[in-house]
């Protein structure tokens, strides 16, 4: 399993959520399988404009296919335009995940 994280700052989180919602709806309507299997959005308590997004994928290959899709590139550009600074992305292998 692979987890992709994005660290970004924005004052327009609601607009970002709407863009992501429309992206996911369009993917489903077109019959495309969404790349991520799970999404978590974390908000920094000390800096309320800073967010960490975690997207989980079944495999590295699924993550790279999602990343290379033109729709994802377009979405990334729109999200970056709503950010206060360039986002920082990290690809991580999930070393451990456990429900407690």
């Amino acid at each position: 399993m692979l987890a992709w994280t994005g660290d970004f700052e924005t004052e327009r989180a609601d607009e970002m959520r709407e863009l992501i919602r429309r992206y996911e709806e369009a993917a489903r309507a077109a019959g495309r399988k969404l790349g991520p299997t799970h999404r978590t959005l974390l908000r920094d308590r000390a800096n309320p404009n800073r967010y960490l997004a975690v997207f989980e994928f079944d495999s590295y290959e699924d993550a790279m296919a999602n990343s290379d899709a033109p729709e994802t590139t377009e979405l990334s550009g729109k999200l970056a335009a709503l950010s206060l600074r360039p986002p920082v992305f990290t690809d991580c292998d999930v070393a451990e995940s456990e429900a407690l």
Side-chain angles (χ1 to χ4, degrees), residues 33-46:
K33 176 186 176 258
L34 287 175
T37 58
H38 191 83
R39 172 181 38 153
T40 302
L41 182 64
L42 307 171
R43 185 170 162 210
D44 187 335
R45 292 180 72 100

Side-chain angles (χ1 to χ4, degrees), residues 22-35 71:
R22 283 189 277 165
Y23 167 84
E24 291 172 347
E25 279 183 2
R28 287 185 191 100
R32 287 191 330 265
K33 176 186 176 258
L34 287 175
E71 300 88 354

Side-chain angles (χ1 to χ4, degrees), residues 5-52:
T5 65
D7 177 341
F8 61 95
E9 291 185 41
T10 187
E11 294 174 337
R12 302 167 73 180
D14 289 338
E15 292 174 68
M16 288 181 146
R17 283 187 192 96
E18 180 61 20
L19 283 172
I20 292 168
R21 185 191 64 74
R22 283 189 277 165
Y23 167 84
E24 291 172 347
E25 279 183 2
R28 287 185 191 100
R32 287 191 330 265
K33 176 186 176 258
L34 287 175
T37 58
H38 191 83
R39 172 181 38 153
T40 302
L41 182 64
L42 307 171
R43 185 170 162 210
D44 187 335
R45 292 180 72 100
N47 177 359
N49 289 329
R50 180 175 178 232
Y51 294 84
L52 300 169

